[in-house]
Every structure is written in structure tokens, then in C-alpha cells.
Amino acid sequence: MNNINIEKYKATKDFKISENETFEDFGKSDKELKKDLSKVRRELGEFQDTIYAHGKYSILVCLQGMDTAGKDSLIREVFKDFNVSGVEVHSFKVPTELELSHNYLWRHYLVLPAKGKFGVFNRTHYENVLVTRVHPEYILNEHIPGIHTVEDIDQKFWDKRFEQINDFERHLAENGTLIFKFFLNLSKEEQRQRLLRRLAIKEKHWKFSPGDLKERKLWSVYQKCYEEAISKTTHEHAPWFAVPADNKKATRVIVANILLQSLKKYKDIKEPMLSEKIMANLDSYEEQLQSEQ
């Protein structure tokens, strides 16, 4: 299913969540969508081998969304056909004491993907302008000079942080990192249904936290913060994609297609050629190996 118009999902500078769909199925059944995903992720996995052999680009995939948006299952399904040595997944939780003793981007720098590899951030450096903006008291734990109370955290503070994140991503892009940022656009009603399933199904109990309900009450605040964060940090070198998340199977198909179509535009990504000297002696090398029988 490589005919998806990926530009449809690319966020603009005037991004509004209300103008983006939360559900998509392309008029297909779950079985058909699963088949589509199987095909595109196989192609993506094969192309990953080429990226690894080429060894000049690293790929950073950033996943953001409200609780229950489907980030974990998306990672499991989209990257299923990857060589495990070529992809690393990092989930960023509440910062540790060590992490808080450094600047807020430090822990993200530590796990950036190497050349030829994919890095997947499950929750990302954007938590620092999302959850901390909804709960500005968390910023006080960072011990920033001049920030003594919540009242010190004004719009100028957030604008500066957006600027810092843009600088961070620009630096990565200029040094060979291809950045893809996905906002999994979940509806409030679908989140309610998924939380209810976590309560109803014993095997899913471990996923539930009472804190999810507290954060849910702040839904509109989070949506506003997402809109500003996305609109102020989407760029050609680090684009945001707003992907409908109410139908997980379609979400995975869209994300996989965006990655595959975008990466294939880089025509310089090819398996390296052997030197002329080695090529001229291939028959000799084969004879040496054959003679060992």
C-alpha cells in the first residue's frame, strides 16, 4: 500500500488538532490492513539493511501521544522485520536524579542512534514542553538558574525551550540524522474505551494507573500544548506527522509508509561497492574457498 499520500499527514506551522482526523481505515478490513502492513514493513526491513551497509545516515523516529495512543504496539508491529542489531528503542520515563543533574536534553543525547541505525524514542524530548508545561512545578526539579517558583516560568521560558529543541534537531539533521516525529492523534472517547479495556481484561491490568484518570481531566490543556509544540517545531529537516490513532492497524500502516516513502527519496542510500581491486579478484577468492573442500 505504497500509494498513501504522506503529505496529508504532515503538520504545518498553523497546526490545529481539531482539523486532523483521529480515525482512518482506508475502507479496508482489519485483515486487509494487516496484510498491507506486512508488505510495507518487509520492504522497510530490507531497506534498513541497505541503510546499515551505507552507514552514513542515522534515523530518529519520535513517537508522542496521549496515554493509550498505541506507541508500544506500533513499535512492535512496524519494526517487526528489522534486524534487531539495527534498531534501538528507548522509553523515557520520569527523569532520574542523575538525569535531573544535567540539562534536560542530556539523556536524549546519550542514546541517539549511530550511523546506519534506527533509534526509536517512545516519548521524547518533547515531554519537556508537554508534561512539564501542563505541570510546570516539575521544572523546579531541574534546578535552573533564575527559576525559583512556578511564577518564574513564563511564555519566554517556553519560547526559549522551543528554540533549544529546534537547535538540537537542526544540529542532528546537519550531521546526518533523518528525523521523523509522529503525533498519534487519539480521540478522547477512544482513550476512554481503551482505559476501560485495561480495567476489564485481567491481562491488561498492569497497564492501568489511577494517574491516567488525573491526566485525562487535563485533556484540553494537553491538546493546546501539543498544538503549540508541533506548530513551533515542525520543519522540513524534522517534520511532524499527525497520524490518526483510533484505529491501530491503520496507524501502523500510515507510519510505516511515511518512513518507507520518505527514506526512499534519498537516492544516495545504496550498498557500498567493493573496490576495483577486490572486484578483479573475486574469482580468485572463490577458487581459494572452493579448494578447501
Side-chain angles (χ1 to χ4, degrees):
M1 192 175 179
N2 293 328
N3 58 343
I4 289 179
N5 178 15
I6 65 175
E7 294 298 317
K8 172 183 176 181
Y9 305 102
K10 187 176 288 188
T12 61
K13 294 294 184 181
D14 58 352
F15 175 74
K16 294 289 185 294
I17 291 177
S18 61
E19 296 175 0
N20 289 265
E21 298 294 334
T22 62
F23 181 87
E24 179 61 85
D25 65 3
F26 300 106
K28 295 190 174 187
S29 66
D30 285 354
K31 184 177 181 180
E32 290 172 318
L33 289 171
K34 188 175 181 179
K35 184 177 180 180
D36 287 339
L37 175 62
S38 179
K39 181 178 184 299
V40 71
R41 78 180 176 204
R42 185 166 56 251
E43 290 184 52
L44 192 57
E46 291 171 354
F47 197 62
Q48 178 228 352
D49 289 336
T50 303
I51 292 173
Y52 184 80
H54 182 247
K56 293 185 179 180
Y57 291 105
S58 53
I59 319 298
L60 179 60
V61 179
C62 299
L63 301 177
Q64 283 287 161
M66 297 294 286
D67 291 328
T68 77
K71 296 181 291 294
D72 291 333
S73 61
L74 184 149
I75 293 169
R76 182 188 68 235
E77 295 300 325
V78 169
F79 299 97
K80 184 176 287 187
D81 290 337
F82 273 47
N83 182 321
V84 293
S85 66
V87 60
E88 298 176 349
V89 179
H90 299 279
S91 297
F92 294 98
K93 308 295 184 182
V94 176
T96 65
E97 184 176 346
L98 173 62
E99 290 167 343
L100 287 170
S101 70
H102 293 78
N103 74 79
Y104 70 94
L105 289 172
W106 178 76
R107 63 175 181 165
H108 304 286
Y109 267 112
L110 291 178
V111 292
L112 287 170
K115 301 288 187 181
K117 291 194 175 187
F118 279 67
V120 183
F121 284 3
N122 182 352
R123 295 192 183 279
T124 72
H125 44 292
Y126 283 93
E127 292 290 284
N128 299 286
V129 289
L130 292 168
V131 66
T132 54
R133 195 161 191 193
V134 176
H135 300 283
E137 64 273 16
Y138 295 168
I139 292 291
L140 302 181
N141 295 325
E142 297 181 22
H143 306 295
I144 301 173
I147 303 297
H148 307 292
T149 67
V150 170
E151 285 68 34
D152 295 323
I153 307 170
D154 55 12
Q155 183 61 43
K156 288 183 179 179
F157 174 89
W158 297 114
D159 287 341
K160 174 59 70 174
R161 191 154 278 201
F162 289 133
E163 183 181 335
Q164 291 165 350
I165 289 175
N166 281 327
D167 289 342
F168 168 63
E169 293 178 348
R170 187 178 300 108
H171 170 72
L172 296 181
E174 289 174 352
N175 286 275
T177 298
L178 307 181
I179 305 170
F180 300 90
K181 301 178 294 192
F182 296 98
F183 167 55
L184 305 188
N185 190 15
L186 184 73
S187 69
K188 191 174 183 181
E189 173 57 22
E190 179 61 23
Q191 188 197 59
R192 187 176 77 89
Q193 294 298 332
R194 292 182 185 181
L195 288 172
L196 284 171
R197 283 197 288 276
R198 289 183 177 183
L199 292 171
I201 302 173
K202 184 178 179 180
E203 290 75 18
K204 293 183 179 291
H205 282 179
W206 67 273
K207 291 185 176 183
F208 180 78
S209 168
D212 295 339
L213 301 184
K214 292 180 181 180
E215 293 300 282
R216 180 173 165 78
K217 292 178 181 179
L218 299 168
W219 183 275
S220 60
V221 181
Y222 270 105
Q223 300 297 286
K224 183 178 179 181
C225 291
Y226 265 108
E227 285 186 347
E228 184 171 9
I230 291 172
S231 64
K232 289 190 174 182
T233 61
T234 189
H235 303 281
E236 278 303 310
H237 64 269
W240 273 104
F241 295 90
V243 181
D246 283 4
N247 180 354
K248 289 184 178 182
K249 289 182 172 57
T251 304
R252 298 162 188 165
V253 170
I254 294 169
V255 169
N257 270 278
I258 289 173
L259 289 172
L260 182 62
Q261 289 187 40
S262 299
L263 290 172
K264 284 199 168 182
K265 292 178 181 178
Y266 290 84
K267 301 303 182 184
D268 59 322
I269 299 179
K270 299 177 182 178
E271 293 179 355
M273 297 292 292
L274 294 174
S275 68
E276 291 185 7
K277 182 178 180 180
I278 294 177
M279 288 292 294
N281 288 281
L282 287 182
D283 290 343
S284 173
Y285 301 142
E286 183 178 356
E287 289 177 8
Q288 290 180 48
L289 291 169
Q290 292 289 0
S291 67
E292 294 181 7
Q293 292 182 344

